[in-house]
Amino acid sequence: MSHPTTSPRHAARTSTTDQPPTWAPATPTIALLTALGVLMVGQMYTVLALLHPMATAFGTTPGQATWTATAFGFAYATGFLLAGPLTDRYGSRTVITAGLAAAAAATVAVSAAPNLTWAVALRIVQGLTAGTFAPSALSYVVHHITPQRRGTAVTCITSGMLAAAVLMQIGAQAVAAGLNWRAVFWFSAALMALSLIPVRRVLRPTLRHHTGGGLLQAFAAMPRLLRRPRLVALYLSTVTLMSAFVAVYTAVAIAGPPSIAGNSSAILALRASALPALVAIPLLSPVLQRLAAPLRAVLAFALAALAVAVGSLSGGHTVPLAIALLLFVAAVAAAAPAVVETINATAPHARGAAVALYGCSMFIGASLGPQLTGALTGLGFGGILRVVVAALVLGVLLALPALRHQRTE
């Protein structure tokens, strides 16, 4: 005679609250989340290719138009903070679905902005809604991808987010040239809406975390995480990395090396030159993961600083600068998953909140990048890159405590 606790009703209830989920098919899941990472994170970067036409339409300067990027970035960072605990409480697929729908509506609204003030305000809304994706996606990987494929999944998704800086600028530049800058937002909104179909078909519901404190307890994890010095240092190092990343690409757009300034084809080629790195890093993921995540992070930060230093000495010549950008983007692409893995290992019981804080720091840095470049335009392209090198050296120093912590374990 069966024991009451093994009744079908009890078994069903147990399987939805206590037992680990069955692993999702890795390949379609990784492909979908990577593509969505390009689309959603790419909304930060599309305006970098639209600064001149937007400034003309709004009767302002490209420098002032950079506020459309900065406003989005800070709002995106706030969206991360909200999405992390929401993901811990309600599950990844639910938050991804709601975020996509809201972001599609906000993106359409940006396309109708009549002036710069409205564009900045609507970009804030767009950033808040788009910011729900990344922490939910990374949390989904942790809960639904087998441990053997998890590192590759994180690398692909974070590389896709970085590739967005290149791919979405190229796409935005092409669409704006063929139609107009507003059409970039129309196409983005349409893609977000259409993405709801594969999200519902490919992604599986994530088990809710039934904690006694409910949603407030999920948010309460963040202050506790910020009392851990090594985690705070990692977050600050992420700020330096992403501010450097966006500052370099903003410098290409508005401070342009003398040899390519005003040449849209040359700028497009320079942006595209980094794409091979974003393909290579996921392919090299099994090799890179032989190194501990904290060590990978420190080495990647150091390579990023070295690459930008080489770029600052290129004299604006396209070929050496393209090689320096290739190495720089490869370093950033290798650093991002290493930092995420280190954070996940450090905060296993509050991954959503921990990754949300990582994303927040990432987009605080990304938001500061355009303003850093705008404030340093008087130094010229080479001068901007030298300041970026100093920021990246600071990032290396901030990442070192995680390495020392690993050695003591």
Side-chain angles (χ1 to χ4, degrees), residues 180-277:
N180 56 59
W181 68 266
R182 296 181 190 273
V184 174
F185 296 100
W186 302 339
F187 279 114
S188 294
L191 290 172
M192 290 175 194
L194 291 172
S195 296
L196 289 169
I197 298 171
V199 163
R200 299 299 294 180
R201 291 184 176 179
V202 174
L203 301 188
R204 298 181 177 182
T206 305
L207 302 183
R208 295 183 182 184
H209 300 271
H210 292 285
T211 55
L215 185 58
L216 289 178
Q217 181 171 326
F219 278 98
M222 289 185 176
R224 292 196 297 270
L225 293 172
L226 290 175
R227 290 195 291 268
R228 302 172 69 170
R230 290 185 179 89
L231 268 178
V232 172
L234 279 173
Y235 293 142
L236 291 175
S237 70
T238 301
V239 171
T240 66
L241 182 69
M242 291 307 299
S243 62
F245 182 66
V246 179
V248 168
Y249 276 96
T250 306
V252 170
I254 69 173
S259 60
I260 65 171
N263 186 336
S264 59
S265 297
I267 292 175
L268 183 64
L270 193 59
R271 286 172 177 152
S273 67
L275 288 176

Side-chain angles (χ1 to χ4, degrees), residues 138 158 235 238 336 339-340 343 353-363:
L138 293 172
T158 55
Y235 293 142
T238 301
V339 173
V340 171
I343 289 171
V355 172
L357 286 169
Y358 162 77
C360 179
S361 62
M362 180 173 149
F363 275 86

Side-chain angles (χ1 to χ4, degrees), residues 12-290:
R13 185 170 63 250
T14 301
S15 67
T16 58
T17 57
D18 299 325
Q19 293 178 358
T22 56
W23 301 121
T27 300
T29 301
I30 294 170
L32 174 61
L33 294 179
T34 301
L36 285 174
V38 173
L39 176 63
M40 300 297 277
V41 177
Q43 300 308 307
M44 168 75 187
Y45 304 108
T46 52
V47 294
L48 297 182
L50 305 176
L51 293 176
H52 289 282
M54 290 180 75
T56 300
F58 296 147
T60 186
T61 65
Q64 287 296 311
T66 60
W67 281 104
T68 58
T70 299
F72 179 98
F74 279 117
Y76 194 103
T78 304
F80 256 90
L81 293 180
L82 296 173
L86 288 172
T87 297
D88 283 341
R89 180 62 181 168
Y90 298 110
S92 303
R93 191 178 76 165
T94 300
V95 177
I96 290 173
T97 301
L100 275 171
T107 303
V108 169
V110 174
S111 72
N115 53 50
L116 181 61
T117 301
W118 271 103
V120 170
L122 291 170
R123 285 279 286 173
I124 289 172
V125 178
Q126 188 193 24
L128 280 170
T129 54
T132 59
F133 171 74
S136 306
L138 293 172
S139 179
Y140 185 90
V141 167
V142 170
H143 289 101
H144 290 282
I145 300 296
T146 60
Q148 295 85 351
R149 299 292 300 277
R150 197 173 292 159
T152 299
V154 171
T155 300
C156 288
I157 294 169
T158 55
S159 294
M161 294 176 185
L162 295 170
V166 180
L167 292 173
M168 293 300 282
Q169 285 188 70
I170 293 172
Q173 184 175 331
V175 171
L179 296 171
N180 56 59
W181 68 266
R182 296 181 190 273
V184 174
F185 296 100
W186 302 339
F187 279 114
S188 294
L191 290 172
M192 290 175 194
L194 291 172
S195 296
L196 289 169
I197 298 171
V199 163
R200 299 299 294 180
R201 291 184 176 179
V202 174
L203 301 188
R204 298 181 177 182
T206 305
L207 302 183
R208 295 183 182 184
H209 300 271
H210 292 285
T211 55
L215 185 58
L216 289 178
Q217 181 171 326
F219 278 98
M222 289 185 176
R224 292 196 297 270
L225 293 172
L226 290 175
R227 290 195 291 268
R228 302 172 69 170
R230 290 185 179 89
L231 268 178
V232 172
L234 279 173
Y235 293 142
L236 291 175
S237 70
T238 301
V239 171
T240 66
L241 182 69
M242 291 307 299
S243 62
F245 182 66
V246 179
V248 168
Y249 276 96
T250 306
V252 170
I254 69 173
S259 60
I260 65 171
N263 186 336
S264 59
S265 297
I267 292 175
L268 183 64
L270 193 59
R271 286 172 177 152
S273 67
L275 288 176
L278 295 169
V279 175
I281 293 300
L283 293 176
L284 292 173
S285 176
V287 176
L288 294 174
Q289 286 176 18
R290 294 175 185 173

Side-chain angles (χ1 to χ4, degrees), residues 2 36 77 141 322 341 369 379 408:
S2 63
L36 285 174
V141 167
E341 289 177 42
L379 298 178
T408 60

Side-chain angles (χ1 to χ4, degrees), residues 313-336:
L313 300 174
S314 67
H317 297 294
T318 305
V319 173
L321 181 58
I323 294 172
L325 280 178
L326 177 72
L327 293 174
F328 173 57
V329 172
V332 175

